[in-house]
Amino acid sequence: MAAVQAWQSITSEDTQHLAFGNAQTVMNDNSSRFGKYIQLRFHNSAVKGAKINEYLLEKSRVVQQDEGERNFHIFYCMLAGISQEDKEIYGLLDPTQYRYLNGRYGTTDMVNIWSEKYEEVCNAMDMVGFEEQEKVDMMTILAGILSLGNIMFEPTDSEMLRVTEKSSGWLKATAGQFGVQEEELLRSLTCTMSMTRGEAIRRFHNQQQAEDARDSIAKVAYGRVFGWIVSKINELLAPDVDLDVELREIGILDIFGFENFAVNRYEQICINLANEQLQYFFNHHIFLMEQKEYKEEGIEWETIDFKDNKPILDLFLAKPFGIFSLLDEQSAFPQATDKNFVDKLNSKFKGNPHFEVVRSHNPLFAIIHYAGKVQYNGSGFLEKNRDTIPGSIRGLFINILMEKMFAANPHFVRCIKPNTNKQPNQVDSKIIMDQLRYNGLLETIRIRKDGFSWRPSFEEFAERYSILLLKPDLPFNKESCMSILNITELHGWKCGSSRLFFKYFHQEELAMLLNRLGRAALILQKNYRAVSCRRRYLALVAEVRRQRQVQQERDEREEEERRQQLLDEEMKRRLDTESENKRLVSPPVPLPRTKKPQPRPRSILPGSPKTTRLAPVPRPRSKQFEATPFDNDLNVDCDLAHLVSQQGGEEQAKERHKKRRNTIRWFKETQARKVVRNGAFPCWFHGMITRREAEDLLTDKPLGCFLIRVGQSREGYTLTYRGKDRYRHYMIEMQINGKYVILGEDRAHPSLPDLVKYHTQVGIKPFMEVLTIPCGQRCDQEPDYEELKNLMLAPSLADQGHAPGEVKSGPDQNYMDLQRLFIPPGQNLSMEAQKPPVLRRISDKKLQAESGLRQNGPQDADHEDEPSSKSRPFPRLYPSIRLAMREIQQVQQHFLANQDN
């Protein structure tokens, strides 16, 4: 169960990351703008858990996108998928009004696609285990990020800046969406507090610094939301095993490739540095470690030349005069500019072979990477570096990640785009060659060709190619390997102390030798089978001839015997006729009766004694009742008496009874309120009945009929379905957030009625069977509601203020109708028909709400900002958000009116 949920959550995690971590770029409409390292943990070949490490999220994309690019997908999906009512709750307006979206949105087709993606994201969150309040808080923060981008500043007569009149409403909206006070948010944007010698000093920002602070808050907020999502996913994927259990691990590193755009900024230099680190590891693993193994094995080889990018890493990361060390130094000076930083790089590294000075009015410089020269625009480097990204890069790639990769046995997968037009069936040779060079694959191909790419152990080689010696029981050692290789006439291979070293083409030559033996074996098999089959054929022909001769002789004997028998019968008839003619004629004598006639049975009259009837013979279970490999609830109840008769059966019966009672308690305390609708259980709900009883109820029902029952030994439900050739039993599990999921499905539902409604339209996997007709409780056999009867006990009508004999319609009548299902015939309905406390609370709230609505009428404008119902979560400062959005709309209308005038 844990493994299934883990894989389901991994699928859901991918859906969320596609929305929160991917964006449209000039190269890819769905580009991953973050790196992740997934750790899959195994025990005895079974997945026990996983962990996701995220890094290098391109947070600057939240506040700025270049031409042809977009913000992260989640903003567009949220604006397209949220209903108009929810937009008012979160404080969202027209998408073209937000500066962080560059005033662009999308076509109608794209909006429809984003709306569908938003539904997938919400369902993925339900599958992972997000609570409704958590989802509301997250969407409110995302709305706050968009509102934050519309806050603009203007100078005043004093040192302190102020928010422009047009954006004052956006400040109030952002404060409400972030759940902070408006004054505190404004203070954090316009000034900085610092402590010097125990004294608090306030430094006011200029307009540029205030805008930088605004954008920094947006980036930090989005990064925190993204990290929180990853942590929630990791909670579900955490291994549920004892601490002393040793787990093996497979690590999957997914990172952006080398980037070289028309304009390369701070994000590209971080991404390319990460690729430089990975290329260094690739070189170290493929080239240096390979040559080290040659030396340890004691074989002779020619030195392989390769392009070592260690000097490029030193250019970036060396202390105290590396590029990022100088960037950190410049970022600490408030008066430093991006041009000052680039000028310092030019003076420091102008003689470095991997650095190139660019003469321009803009702050430009170039780096000669392993994949080629890339020109960077230094604008925004200082402001973006203040997010302490360089420190996390060094800590991540030098300590956290690289140590794991050096300790592992890596495999590399390189992805290549066929063209830059984002079109199918188009191949651009130049683009492909550039990517092969960027990925280091051209260098790898050359090294693989010059080195020994295949290095099997003695045992592995002898076991695989011992057939070449045509000797049985050959020992798998070095001597056997030498004997094999001596007859193959291979050249250029090396023998080490523990393994053999081959060129890339040696495997093909050995495969040709094996194919030659294979063809010879086929010829031998063909000839042997031909001879064997011919022998069998000749033997069969001889046997057929012998059987024919025997059969012919048998037929002749039988024919002779038949003729003799006919002659004997003819002779006997003649003798009988002659003797009969000689007898005297006498009347026939009647034979005595051997048995008296029996009287005919009379019909049973009223009052006559009834005859004893035999017990009915149990009907055989048809194919409909056979279990299938897809039935996921195979817990069939056994007779308790049978359990008691077995050894240890009494303990098993007690344990089963305990589980049953616990399940009933769970249903009463947590589920009854969710299942009941309009004061009654749905017609497809059948309480706690056994698997066999559920199948009996559906025996004569049409195809697609279904019911839902409470599990007898677990806290959950089972959906029993009348299939075409047999019954299906689908387990329904509850997520940690209270959602309901059919095991094997990838969609969560807020309630059982919603689950049923959904699967009347969409089939259940793997057979995609659709629910059609619910199996009602009213039937010949009364369903087993014994343990749930006390839920249906309601106070008498007199206690509720009704006169005797008064008929009450509505939910109470539903209670009375439902009681008929549980009360045995002959008992007084009024004594049993009492409303349960759970149902009483539900109906009382509903009646109070209806009564209040009738008495008070519609809410006035003063209370309009308050949440209308507590049945759903709301943002913490929901009234403030509503007031702020009204102010924004009023200001916009005012400015539009002035423009018209």
Side-chain angles (χ1 to χ4, degrees):
M1 185 73 65
V4 172
Q5 291 180 346
W7 283 115
Q8 288 179 345
S9 64
I10 287 176
T11 306
S12 302
E13 170 267 325
D14 288 340
T15 302
Q16 295 178 65
H17 276 167
L18 288 177
F20 287 88
N22 288 29
Q24 175 182 321
T25 66
V26 294
M27 292 290 293
N28 190 349
D29 288 345
N30 189 31
S31 176
S32 178
R33 307 315 299 167
F34 72 104
K36 60 182 174 181
Y37 182 70
I38 303 176
Q39 299 167 266
L40 294 178
R41 291 166 180 170
F42 296 82
H43 180 67
N44 294 335
S45 302
V47 179
K48 294 299 183 181
K51 183 180 180 181
I52 301 172
N53 301 284
E54 55 89 12
Y55 51 89
L56 288 181
L57 175 66
E58 194 181 40
K59 294 182 288 187
S60 60
R61 181 171 294 273
V62 175
V63 301
Q64 180 184 2
Q65 309 94 41
D66 291 332
E67 187 67 27
E69 299 194 347
R70 290 186 180 272
N71 211 321
F72 290 102
H73 292 328
I74 184 60
F75 292 109
Y76 306 96
C77 296
M78 176 180 66
L79 291 168
I82 289 181
S83 64
Q84 187 61 39
E85 178 185 359
D86 288 344
K87 286 182 179 179
E88 296 178 359
I89 293 174
Y90 296 129
L92 291 171
L93 295 178
D94 187 82
T96 59
Q97 298 186 21
Y98 294 108
R99 192 176 64 87
Y100 282 166
L101 301 182
N102 289 337
R104 299 191 303 265
Y105 194 39
T107 62
T108 304
D109 294 337
M110 285 302 303
V111 171
N112 293 334
I113 295 175
W114 287 333
S115 178
E116 295 175 359
K117 290 295 182 183
Y118 180 75
E119 294 182 3
E120 295 178 4
V121 170
C122 292
N123 179 68
M125 290 183 177
D126 292 336
M127 295 293 294
V128 171
F130 283 81
E131 301 289 345
E132 288 297 327
Q133 186 63 54
E134 293 175 335
K135 294 196 300 184
V136 169
D137 293 341
M138 183 192 65
M139 295 300 173
T140 307
I141 292 175
L142 295 179
I145 292 174
L146 294 177
S147 300
L148 180 63
N150 287 4
I151 299 176
M152 305 302 293
F153 305 92
E154 61 184 6
T156 61
D157 296 337
S158 61
E159 296 183 45
M160 186 174 181
L161 296 172
R162 69 180 181 186
V163 176
T164 62
E165 180 183 357
K166 189 175 181 180
S167 61
S168 60
W170 292 109
L171 177 65
K172 294 179 181 179
T174 305
Q177 290 159 336
F178 282 170
V180 298
Q181 296 300 319
E182 181 182 349
E183 295 77 11
E184 296 178 358
L185 177 59
L186 179 61
R187 191 181 304 115
S188 65
L189 293 173
T190 57
C191 64
T192 301
M193 298 293 295
S194 60
M195 298 296 295
T196 303
R197 297 178 181 178
E199 181 181 359
I201 300 177
R202 176 182 297 180
R203 294 187 175 87
F204 292 101
H205 294 167
N206 57 33
Q207 186 169 348
Q208 182 62 45
Q209 290 173 335
E211 292 175 355
D212 292 344
R214 173 200 63 197
D215 294 342
S216 296
I217 292 176
K219 292 186 288 186
V220 170
Y222 191 83
R224 291 291 182 88
V225 170
F226 190 84
W228 173 65
I229 292 174
V230 175
S231 64
K232 289 286 291 185
I233 296 172
N234 286 335
E235 288 179 9
L236 182 65
L237 299 182
D240 187 14
V241 296
D242 297 334
L243 296 178
D244 56 346
V245 176
E246 182 181 359
L247 298 178
R248 295 183 177 273
E249 183 176 298
I250 294 178
I252 303 174
L253 176 63
D254 183 5
I255 191 173
F256 351 66
F258 191 85
E259 294 186 348
N260 187 1
F261 300 148
V263 178
N264 300 286
R265 303 186 184 276
Y266 181 80
E267 296 75 27
Q268 277 66 51
I269 200 171
C270 293
I271 291 171
N272 291 342
L273 172 59
N275 279 272
E276 288 283 358
Q277 281 280 18
L278 292 176
Q279 183 65 22
Y280 174 76
F281 169 74
F282 185 75
N283 293 342
H284 188 277
H285 175 74
I286 298 298
F287 311 141
L288 297 182
M289 293 182 65
E290 185 168 336
Q291 295 186 11
K292 179 182 177 181
E293 187 172 2
Y294 298 163
K295 183 182 295 186
E296 292 176 352
E297 291 288 333
I299 66 172
E300 297 180 358
W301 82 100
E302 297 179 0
T303 302
I304 302 174
D305 297 329
F306 65 93
K307 189 176 180 180
D308 189 3
N309 65 335
K310 184 65 165 60
I312 303 178
L313 293 179
D314 294 337
L315 173 65
F316 279 103
L317 303 176
K319 292 184 178 181
F321 300 113
I323 291 178
F324 278 106
S325 295
L326 295 177
L327 181 60
D328 292 340
E329 178 184 328
Q330 291 295 109
S331 300
F333 295 109
Q335 303 302 325
T337 64
D338 297 323
K339 192 173 188 318
N340 297 144
F341 166 67
V342 175
D343 291 341
K344 197 165 188 177
L345 294 182
N346 292 336
S347 62
K348 181 65 180 176
F349 302 116
K350 62 181 178 181
N352 192 301
H354 300 286
F355 185 89
E356 185 176 298
V357 178
V358 179
R359 303 299 179 185
S360 174
H361 296 290
N362 297 322
L364 303 177
F365 64 96
I367 302 294
I368 313 300
H369 288 277
Y370 77 92
K373 183 176 72 173
V374 180
Q375 181 174 289
Y376 296 100
N377 189 326
S379 300
F381 266 48
L382 296 183
E383 187 271 328
K384 295 174 181 178
N385 184 64
R386 293 189 179 101
D387 290 337
T388 66
I389 291 181
S392 63
I393 290 176
R394 291 190 289 273
L396 177 65
F397 284 97
I398 298 177
N399 301 319
I400 301 168
L401 182 60
M402 300 308 297
E403 291 181 359
K404 293 182 179 180
M405 295 183 67
F406 275 109
N409 183 20
H411 299 268
F412 298 90
V413 178
R414 304 290 192 178
C415 299
I416 296 177
K417 296 181 179 65
N419 59 77
T420 59
N421 300 325
K422 307 176 185 177
Q423 296 296 327
N425 302 323
Q426 293 184 7
V427 177
D428 190 327
S429 300
K430 183 180 182 304
I431 295 297
I432 291 179
M433 290 302 296
D434 289 342
Q435 294 178 85
L436 292 176
R437 184 172 62 255
Y438 292 162
N439 292 333
L441 292 181
L442 298 180
E443 188 74 3
T444 303
I445 293 172
R446 184 184 65 82
I447 296 301
R448 286 296 191 187
K449 182 178 179 181
D450 296 340
F452 299 97
S453 59
W454 182 40
R455 293 159 291 182
S457 63
F458 294 142
E459 181 180 359
E460 178 185 353
F461 182 83
E463 182 179 5
R464 183 174 181 180
Y465 297 102
S466 60
I467 188 64
L468 295 176
L469 287 180
L470 302 178
K471 293 182 180 179
D473 302 328
L474 188 71
F476 301 152
N477 52 27
K478 181 178 180 180
E479 289 73 17
S480 300
C481 295
M482 295 298 100
S483 301
I484 296 171
L485 290 171
N486 289 334
I487 68 170
T488 58
E489 299 181 356
L490 297 180
H491 301 284
W493 54 271
K494 299 290 183 181
C495 179
S497 58
S498 63
R499 61 184 63 247
L500 296 168
F501 292 82
F502 294 95
K503 297 286 187 177
Y504 68 94
F505 52 83
H506 285 148
Q507 278 186 301
E508 297 180 2
E509 295 179 358
L510 289 170
M512 292 174 61
L513 294 176
L514 289 179
N515 290 336
R516 180 183 177 186
L517 287 180
R519 289 193 299 270
L522 287 176
I523 294 174
L524 293 175
Q525 291 176 358
K526 178 187 69 173
N527 294 329
Y528 172 79
R529 290 176 178 174
V531 173
S532 176
C533 291
R534 181 167 181 80
R535 289 176 180 175
R536 291 179 56 192
Y537 172 75
L538 294 177
L540 289 174
V541 169
E543 178 66 19
V544 168
R545 291 175 178 174
R546 187 188 64 80
Q547 290 181 359
R548 286 180 179 177
Q549 184 177 0
V550 172
Q551 183 66 30
Q552 184 177 1
E553 295 176 354
R554 184 185 300 113
D555 294 342
E556 291 177 355
R557 288 197 303 268
E558 290 178 354
E559 183 65 24
E560 183 65 25
E561 292 175 355
R562 189 161 47 252
R563 286 197 300 266
Q564 184 64 37
Q565 184 179 2
L566 292 175
L567 292 175
D568 295 341
E569 290 177 355
E570 181 65 22
M571 181 61 68
K572 184 178 179 182
R573 279 199 303 272
R574 290 178 180 180
L575 294 176
D576 292 340
T577 303
E578 293 177 358
S579 59
E580 187 70 23
N581 293 333
K582 295 178 179 180
R583 290 182 182 177
L584 296 177
V585 179
S586 58
V589 180
L591 297 176
R593 297 183 64 174
T594 59
K595 187 176 181 180
K596 296 182 179 180
Q598 298 294 330
R600 297 179 63 183
R602 296 180 299 174
S603 60
I604 301 177
L605 299 177
S608 61
K610 296 182 180 180
T611 59
T612 304
R613 295 190 177 182
L614 298 177
V617 179
R619 61 180 176 82
R621 290 175 68 92
S622 65
K623 187 178 181 182
Q624 293 279 355
F625 297 92
E626 296 178 4
T628 71
F630 301 99
D631 290 346
N632 45 22
D633 183 7
L634 303 179
N635 299 323
V636 184
D637 281 353
C638 299
D639 189 12
L640 292 180
H642 178 65
L643 288 174
V644 174
S645 64
Q646 298 179 351
Q647 183 178 2
E650 186 175 356
E651 289 75 10
Q652 297 180 20
K654 291 181 179 179
E655 182 65 23
R656 176 164 297 190
H657 182 72
K658 180 180 178 181
K659 291 181 180 179
R660 187 183 182 95
R661 301 305 303 176
N662 291 338
T663 305
I664 296 171
R665 186 182 304 110
W666 162 80
F667 178 83
K668 294 177 181 177
E669 296 176 355
T670 66
Q671 299 297 302
R673 184 183 305 217
K674 298 181 179 180
V675 177
V676 169
R677 286 293 184 269
N678 298 325
F681 288 117
C683 58
W684 39 258
F685 181 71
H686 280 253
M688 184 177 289
I689 61 176
T690 64
R691 174 191 176 103
R692 178 61 183 267
E693 290 171 337
E695 293 176 348
D696 288 341
L697 290 172
L698 297 176
T699 299
D700 300 328
K701 297 297 190 297
L703 180 67
C705 189
F706 69 97
L707 60 86
I708 293 181
R709 52 193 173 93
V710 180
Q712 294 185 298
S713 60
R714 62 181 181 88
E715 296 179 354
Y717 300 91
T718 300
L719 187 150
T720 302
Y721 178 84
R722 176 70 159 80
K724 182 178 181 180
D725 54 350
R726 61 188 65 201
Y727 296 103
R728 318 281 187 201
H729 299 273
Y730 299 97
M731 292 175 63
I732 302 176
E733 296 292 341
M734 283 194 63
Q735 304 289 93
I736 58 177
N737 56 0
K739 305 290 184 178
Y740 299 85
V741 179
I742 295 180
L743 196 61
E745 287 284 330
D746 55 1
R747 186 174 185 87
H749 307 273
S751 65
L752 287 178
D754 292 324
L755 182 148
V756 170
K757 181 179 179 181
Y758 175 80
H759 285 293
T760 57
Q761 305 293 331
V762 180
I764 305 174
K765 299 177 182 177
F767 301 103
M768 303 308 296
E769 296 171 322
V770 178
L771 306 181
T772 57
I773 302 175
C775 179
Q777 293 96 337
R778 298 179 182 277
C779 53
D780 296 337
Q781 289 184 338
E782 181 182 350
D784 183 9
Y785 278 90
E786 187 65 32
E787 293 83 357
L788 304 180
K789 281 183 180 179
N790 57 346
L791 289 178
M792 306 308 298
L793 299 178
S796 62
L797 294 177
D799 295 338
Q800 299 182 16
H802 295 279
E806 180 181 354
V807 179
K808 182 180 178 182
S809 61
D812 285 333
Q813 184 61 38
N814 292 334
Y815 305 150
M816 303 293 288
D817 294 339
L818 194 58
Q819 287 306 308
R820 297 188 179 93
L821 301 176
F822 309 130
I823 303 174
Q827 292 190 11
N828 188 358
L829 181 63
S830 62
M831 298 297 294
E832 293 288 334
Q834 296 185 5
K835 188 189 304 180
V838 173
L839 304 185
R840 183 168 64 251
R841 288 195 294 269
I842 296 174
S843 60
D844 290 346
K845 289 183 179 179
K846 182 176 180 181
L847 292 176
Q848 290 175 4
E850 295 176 353
S851 176
L853 183 62
R854 288 193 300 268
Q855 295 176 3
N856 301 330
Q859 297 180 348
D860 52 29
D862 295 336
H863 299 282
E864 186 178 358
D865 293 330
E866 298 298 327
S868 60
S869 174
K870 295 184 179 180
S871 61
R872 60 162 300 173
F874 281 81
R876 287 175 292 177
L877 298 182
Y878 171 67
S880 301
I881 298 173
R882 294 288 300 276
L883 293 175
M885 303 317 292
R886 289 180 184 174
E887 180 177 338
I888 293 172
Q889 293 172 340
Q890 292 174 359
V891 170
Q892 291 176 346
Q893 293 175 358
H894 174 71
F895 275 90
L896 290 175
N898 291 338
Q899 291 178 358
D900 294 339
N901 294 333

